[in-house]
Amino acid sequence: MTEERSNQEWLDALRSPEPDEALAELRTLLVRGLRYALADRFNVTEDDLEDFAQNALLRILDNLHTFRGESRFTTWAHKIAVRVAFTELRRRRWQEVSLQDLIARYDDGDFTPAALTNHTAGPERRTTQRLMLETIQRIIAEELTERQRQAMTAVMMGGMPLEEVARRMGTNRNALYKLLHDARQHLKKRLLAEGLTPQEVLAAFEG
Amino acid sequence: MILEPTTLKRIVRSVLSTCPDEIGCDECFEQLDRFVELKLAGKNAAEAMPLVQDHLDRCPDCREEFEALLAVLRYMT
Ligand SMILES: [Zn+2]
């Protein structure tokens, strides 16, 4: 029966003076949805699902005016619930990891690429690889700001979610994406200016 | 700096495929519900909304949420 409310009916019901029935329906729907979304997570309890759904519900009510009707209302609502749940789960998963420690694992000031230590490539090829790595390393050092370097290392090498890196750098996920985008733009320009083509670089490390 | 060959390739690929007109996470999120519905309807969502597809290919956070949302709607409808 839930499925049969039209978008307008959902909006009207949630905005009516007696929204309780619609709220309860929506909450049930969100819990069910989150159960599917998080089916493969062993560390998520029923209480978590209820909490996520409740927080999502509040967010949905606060943002009703932003719903543009470009999808079904319930799709839009599930989207918000998924965002709320993943934000919390990422926070938990990474809460013990500091940005400094994570970056230090990859950026120890020394440059000894693992690519070159246990490689079966012949000496000539290894020279090509070393030169290329040195160029890339130099470009990264020269071209990027400290923040860009930190963010790139944490995200692309450390595998930390953008959202968690952003939290630690005092910014938000959208702004961090832009920062990484700018970093990539700079690197691309320089790589091409140095005469390194994508094919060349990738081929050097193939196999 | 420790660069595994696979990491290095991933970085180089993502750097060299950078486009000036990429959208950010907020814009992607705004359009994600429509994108997912197109996908579920068997339409070519990537062709209809290429910038969303591009962002999902690049951003691990948004991709994770997109896949979860897709799973939700697959099971619920
Ligand atoms: Zn994103």
Side-chain angles (χ1 to χ4, degrees):
Chain A
M1 91 187 163
T2 299
E3 305 295 328
E4 286 169 18
R5 277 187 206 262
S6 70
N7 285 354
Q8 195 54 52
E9 284 164 350
W10 270 114
L11 292 174
D12 291 345
L14 291 171
R15 283 174 175 147
S16 79
E18 289 176 14
D20 291 0
E21 196 189 316
L23 282 173
E25 240 179 71
L26 186 55
R27 184 187 289 113
T28 306
L29 209 59
L30 295 181
V31 171
R32 266 182 62 205
L34 287 172
R35 203 170 279 131
Y36 291 122
L38 305 173
D40 55 351
R41 311 263 171 153
F42 301 107
N43 53 349
V44 176
T45 65
E46 276 299 306
D47 281 351
D48 287 333
L49 295 179
E50 297 282 344
D51 284 350
F52 297 156
Q54 180 60 27
N55 290 337
L57 206 54
L58 297 175
R59 175 100 59 107
I60 288 164
L61 293 176
D62 275 349
N63 288 285
L64 277 185
H65 63 283
T66 68
F67 175 61
R68 295 186 300 192
E70 289 176 349
S71 68
R72 291 170 53 176
F73 177 77
T74 48
T75 303
W76 181 77
H78 283 304
K79 174 180 81 170
I80 292 175
V82 164
R83 166 61 68 95
V84 166
F86 276 85
T87 299
E88 173 59 17
L89 290 174
R90 288 183 189 122
R91 196 189 59 75
R92 280 191 212 166
R93 155 82 177 76
W94 290 88
Q95 63 186 348
E96 308 293 339
V97 184
S98 85
L99 195 59
Q100 275 60 39
D101 289 350
L102 184 71
I103 290 171
R105 253 184 252 166
Y106 300 93
D107 199 351
D108 51 6
D110 185 26
F111 185 49
T112 45
L116 303 180
T117 52
N118 56 353
H119 213 276
T120 51
E124 203 174 309
R125 191 139 178 253
R126 264 185 299 195
T127 306
T128 312
Q129 290 179 345
R130 191 166 46 74
L131 287 174
M132 214 167 265
L133 278 167
E134 278 170 7
T135 306
I136 293 169
Q137 163 78 357
R138 180 165 48 76
I139 291 175
I140 288 177
E142 288 172 5
E143 203 66 29
L144 300 188
T145 66
E146 182 63 17
R147 274 172 81 78
Q148 286 174 331
R149 238 156 61 86
Q150 285 183 343
M152 217 162 164
T153 306
V155 170
M156 302 206 70
M157 297 189 202
M160 187 183 270
L162 271 76
E163 199 157 292
E164 289 303 307
V165 177
R167 188 201 310 285
R168 286 160 178 74
M169 291 179 66
T171 180
N172 63 49
R173 172 163 149 193
N174 192 60
L176 190 80
Y177 184 87
K178 302 262 186 220
L179 180 127
L180 289 167
H181 169 78
D182 288 347
R184 284 189 277 109
Q185 288 262 62
H186 281 300
L187 292 177
K188 179 178 182 180
K189 230 164 77 194
R190 266 294 293 276
L191 272 177
L192 296 179
E194 298 265 344
L196 286 177
T197 70
Q199 293 78 7
E200 240 182 324
V201 178
L202 295 174
F205 296 94
E206 218 50 72
Chain B
M1 182 173 294
I2 301 159
L3 278 174
E4 299 285 344
T6 48
T7 313
L8 178 76
K9 270 195 270 185
R10 201 153 38 80
I11 293 175
V12 169
R13 264 202 201 98
S14 87
V15 163
L16 291 167
S17 67
T18 300
C19 308
D21 59 351
E22 289 171 27
I23 57 171
C25 298
D26 287 353
E27 219 175 308
C28 177
F29 183 72
E30 228 167 73
Q31 302 180 49
L32 193 62
D33 43 347
R34 196 155 80 83
F35 185 86
V36 169
E37 286 192 350
L38 283 175
K39 194 114 187 156
L40 280 170
K43 304 236 172 70
N44 192 338
E47 202 167 274
M49 305 171 78
L51 292 180
V52 174
Q53 180 66 55
D54 177 71
H55 186 86
L56 295 175
D57 290 339
R58 295 176 190 277
C59 178
D61 293 32
C62 290
R63 186 169 55 242
E64 193 177 32
E65 290 164 20
F66 157 68
E67 280 163 7
L69 183 58
L70 198 60
V72 171
L73 297 174
R74 280 225 168 97
Y75 284 112
M76 307 253 317
T77 45

